[in-house]
Amino acid sequence: MTTNIKNDKDLALSYTQLSKQLDALLTGERNLYANLSNTSALLNQFFERINWIGFYLIEDNELVLGPFQGLPACVRIKLGKGVCGTAAVNQESIIVPDVNAFPGHIACDAASRSEIVVPIIKEGLTVGVLDVDSPELNRFSETDRVGLEKIVSILLKHI
């Protein structure tokens, strides 16, 4: 389902439908990597105007690349560094309208211009992040943040 969203109301409804699809897709499977892989594939199909989408998981006190869709990426990111590391430490989603204006941004793909990162928090601990990059400035909205946080909450039910 590729989106052709005209306004925030339509986008919110699309996220509701996507959430139901993800829940159905993951039902019955508990394997972390299978569920992260299918989630990144479904989200890649959903989004337009992105160039990378995937997960980083915390391992040995740093973020390590997990399942994704897109060009090869940075394998390890220190906690507190870049957008992903900052979102993981602060346990808050971050929307970056212009990655070049974000202090300490880590450029894995020079084509990325904007980014949204949602932490994955289980039992109070950050276990990873969902990262989405776009080659467009100002690609992500507050509606995207709310929608992706819902997607992460559904994912958490299945891992």
Side-chain angles (χ1 to χ4, degrees):
M1 167 183 138
T2 302
T3 57
N4 188 8
I5 306 302
K6 293 184 173 52
N7 61 49
D8 280 346
K9 184 178 178 184
D10 289 343
L11 181 59
L13 289 172
S14 292
Y15 272 112
T16 298
Q17 182 180 13
L18 180 66
S19 297
K20 291 175 184 176
Q21 288 177 315
L22 180 64
D23 195 36
L25 178 65
L26 302 183
T27 294
E29 182 54 62
R30 303 296 295 179
N31 182 274
L32 174 65
Y33 291 98
N35 286 340
L36 292 176
S37 295
N38 273 334
T39 300
S40 65
L42 182 67
L43 290 173
N44 190 53
Q45 209 176 14
F46 172 77
F47 277 105
E48 292 179 337
R49 304 177 341 268
I50 66 166
N51 58 316
W52 199 92
I53 187 162
F55 296 94
Y56 282 91
L57 302 172
I58 293 185
E59 181 180 303
D60 297 329
N61 215 25
E62 64 184 345
L63 291 167
V64 179
L65 182 64
F68 70 94
Q69 304 279 311
L71 294 176
C74 302
V75 175
R76 296 180 184 274
I77 299 172
K78 293 189 182 308
L79 292 177
K81 301 295 182 185
V83 182
C84 290
T86 301
V89 168
N90 294 342
Q91 294 190 329
E92 292 181 340
S93 299
I94 300 175
I95 298 171
V96 181
D98 179 355
V99 296
N100 292 321
F102 189 90
H105 175 258
I106 299 168
C108 294
D109 181 346
S112 294
R113 304 292 298 156
S114 62
E115 183 172 6
I116 184 169
V117 177
V118 177
I120 304 168
I121 303 165
K122 189 168 188 171
E123 298 171 2
L125 298 174
T126 304
V127 297
V129 298
L130 168 60
D131 180 21
V132 189
D133 295 357
S134 173
E136 291 182 10
L137 292 172
N138 298 301
R139 165 63 181 85
F140 304 104
S141 67
E142 187 66 15
T143 304
D144 289 306
R145 181 193 62 77
V146 170
L148 288 172
E149 287 176 354
K150 175 68 174 168
I151 291 296
V152 165
S153 72
I154 289 167
L155 176 62
L156 280 166
K157 290 183 353 184
H158 298 282
I159 59 173

